[in-house]
Amino acid sequence: MSLVRARGELENRSGSTTGMARAVKAVLDLRDSGEVRGILGSMSELCTPKDSRDEEALAYAMGGGMNSIVVRDDETASQCISWLRRNKAGRATFLPLNRLQSRRPGGRSVMVSRQPGVVGFASDLLDYDNSIELAVINVVRDTLIVESMDVARRHMGGVRMVTRTGSVVEGSGAMVGGSTRTNRPQFGGKMAGSSVVEKAEADVDR
Amino acid sequence: MSLVRARGELENRSGSTTGMARAVKAVLDLRDSGEVRGILGSMSELCTPKDSRDEEALAYAMGGGMNSIVVRDDETASQCISWLRRNKAGRATFLPLNRLQSRRPGGRSVMVSRQPGVVGFASDLLDYDNSIELAVINVVRDTLIVESMDVARRHMGGVRMVTRTGSVVEGSGAMVGGSTRTNRPQFGGKMAGSSVVEKAEADVDR
């Protein structure tokens, strides 16, 4: 692998492009150093799939929410946002537990959840500590995991559905899909393809 | 500027990292070649700020929705998603006009819109053709543009607000902010910092 290519891989995986993963890392460092209190962690650290077969669908169900950071309150969020701005360290999404609104699944999603081809509510397929339930609901809402795009199109309208292969049909009718990203965030707080980065780093060092 | 750095800039601007901007470009090429009919364009092509002073706030109000592609119907969306998957060309969001749900602004957002420090509804600050109104509402919903984070925190809960400097307070209570991205999508279908790319390209060619 050429140096240029390897460097490109590194930049890609480290998230330096969008400034998102970089900001998340910066905030988690603030937590670990004790500089800011009240930072619980990123959603990708705090939840795991109950069944690893649902991992990809759940990652797409959470989407960018995998990188959202759960904090105790809006004061902590505001402090972190100021810090990121002051240090030009990127942008991040914060879920302040004291201000998150609770929501109940829409009636239609409960009805659709019982149809053939529907695996279940994303929130029921995730394992997490009860204390962050509001954050989980905030991120996955009443998303259903379904077997295929055909199932999703059959039920579309007012229900958010994610297929096994990662296509998304929003409740609003918006549809998201295409080829799978190789650098999506993974459960456990890692990025997919991190082995590629390690290889790239080794190649650069040589 | 070094070759490595220049190449990195190019990759960043072309969106090859997330596969998002790349997919959008691929879909717009399908439109322009006539290979798929029913593709209207990306939101960043189809809307412009009425007042250029609101440009940054409106870009953050639309967020990733700047890259959403308006299509005639869900059959067109499904065709494009299959094409992207088959050609490993990345992921994109489609707004099928025949399936988008209409929404009215929440009562509380109308009330907050009249408060001091609130500029107005994002949808009222954008210029677009009436035929894509459902797509615009789908993307900006009842987002309000506000002067500052203090104004946003004062009214938070059930109302989505974006500050002049691009911080976002979601209706759910989630808060998004930090330093400004340099490579965000811009109105007119361009990426911010494209002059940097052109410079990078020139430097690579030399």
Side-chain angles (χ1 to χ4, degrees):
Chain A
M1 183 185 260
S2 76
L3 181 68
V4 173
R5 177 77 199 292
R7 181 69 58 92
E9 291 283 354
L10 277 174
E11 286 172 351
N12 287 353
R13 307 312 173 183
S14 66
S16 61
T17 309
T18 62
M20 188 50 117
R22 185 170 58 105
V24 173
K25 195 180 170 310
V27 173
L28 298 180
D29 286 348
L30 289 179
R31 173 194 64 186
D32 297 340
S33 69
E35 193 172 335
V36 176
R37 299 173 65 93
I39 302 168
L40 279 73
S42 72
M43 287 294 288
S44 70
E45 288 177 329
L46 300 174
C47 327
T48 64
K50 287 179 180 168
D51 183 330
S52 63
R53 283 173 305 174
D54 300 325
E55 187 162 341
E56 183 165 3
L58 287 170
Y60 280 109
M62 296 177 69
M66 289 278 271
N67 274 328
S68 291
I69 297 161
V70 184
V71 293
R72 195 175 43 198
D73 51 30
D74 57 313
E75 181 52 36
T76 307
S78 192
Q79 239 178 298
C80 291
I81 289 174
S82 297
W83 188 95
L84 288 172
R85 175 178 293 283
R86 214 163 47 238
N87 292 280
K88 298 194 192 311
R91 287 169 71 81
T93 298
F94 297 89
L95 304 173
L97 290 174
N98 70 325
R99 301 298 292 259
L100 295 179
Q101 319 267 308
S102 72
R103 324 187 198 189
R104 274 187 301 174
R108 196 164 131 60
S109 69
V110 174
M111 221 165 64
V112 172
S113 73
R114 297 184 190 123
Q115 300 298 313
V118 179
V119 182
F121 283 105
S123 55
D124 290 338
L125 302 171
L126 284 168
D127 204 17
Y128 54 86
D129 190 272
N130 261 345
S131 63
I132 65 157
E133 182 164 22
L134 273 177
V136 174
I137 296 304
N138 187 277
V139 168
V140 299
R141 296 168 284 166
D142 47 6
T143 303
L144 292 166
I145 308 296
V146 301
E147 295 291 355
S148 70
M149 187 52 122
D150 283 347
V151 175
R153 282 177 69 193
R154 190 154 59 232
H155 299 298
M156 84 190 274
V159 187
R160 185 170 193 261
M161 288 166 288
V162 177
T163 71
R164 286 260 183 222
T165 55
S167 293
V168 183
V169 173
E170 300 287 350
S172 65
M175 297 163 73
V176 191
S179 55
T180 304
R181 287 205 303 263
T182 51
N183 62 338
R184 65 182 191 285
Q186 281 192 315
F187 293 100
K190 290 215 169 67
M191 294 292 282
S194 58
S195 61
V196 181
V197 184
E198 281 148 27
K199 179 157 179 358
E201 281 182 298
D203 285 2
V204 170
D205 287 347
R206 210 180 296 146
Chain B
M1 184 185 259
S2 75
L3 181 69
V4 173
R5 178 79 199 292
R7 180 71 60 93
E9 291 283 353
L10 277 174
E11 285 172 352
N12 286 352
R13 306 313 173 183
S14 67
S16 63
T17 310
T18 62
M20 188 48 118
R22 185 170 59 104
V24 172
K25 195 181 169 310
V27 172
L28 298 180
D29 286 348
L30 288 179
R31 172 193 66 185
D32 297 340
S33 69
E35 194 172 335
V36 177
R37 298 172 66 93
I39 302 168
L40 278 73
S42 72
M43 287 295 288
S44 69
E45 288 177 330
L46 301 174
C47 327
T48 63
K50 287 179 180 168
D51 184 330
S52 63
R53 283 173 303 175
D54 300 326
E55 187 162 340
E56 184 165 2
L58 287 170
Y60 281 109
M62 295 176 70
M66 290 278 271
N67 273 328
S68 291
I69 297 162
V70 184
V71 293
R72 197 176 40 198
D73 51 31
D74 57 311
E75 180 52 36
T76 307
S78 193
Q79 239 178 296
C80 291
I81 289 174
S82 297
W83 189 95
L84 288 171
R85 174 178 293 283
R86 214 164 46 239
N87 293 279
K88 298 193 192 310
R91 286 170 71 81
T93 298
F94 297 89
L95 303 172
L97 290 174
N98 70 324
R99 301 298 292 258
L100 295 179
Q101 320 266 308
S102 72
R103 325 188 198 189
R104 275 187 302 175
R108 196 164 130 61
S109 69
V110 174
M111 222 166 63
V112 172
S113 73
R114 299 185 188 122
Q115 299 298 314
V118 179
V119 183
F121 283 105
S123 55
D124 290 338
L125 302 171
L126 285 167
D127 204 17
Y128 54 87
D129 190 89
N130 261 344
S131 62
I132 64 157
E133 183 164 22
L134 273 177
V136 174
I137 296 304
N138 187 277
V139 167
V140 297
R141 296 167 285 168
D142 47 6
T143 303
L144 291 166
I145 308 298
V146 301
E147 295 292 357
S148 69
M149 187 51 123
D150 284 346
V151 175
R153 283 177 69 194
R154 190 152 59 231
H155 299 297
M156 85 190 273
V159 187
R160 186 171 191 260
M161 289 167 288
V162 177
T163 70
R164 286 261 183 222
T165 55
S167 292
V168 183
V169 174
E170 300 288 350
S172 64
M175 297 163 74
V176 190
S179 56
T180 305
R181 286 204 303 261
T182 51
N183 63 339
R184 65 182 192 284
Q186 281 193 317
F187 292 101
K190 291 214 170 70
M191 293 292 281
S194 58
S195 61
V196 181
V197 184
E198 281 147 27
K199 179 155 179 359
E201 280 181 299
D203 284 2
V204 169
D205 287 348
R206 209 180 296 145

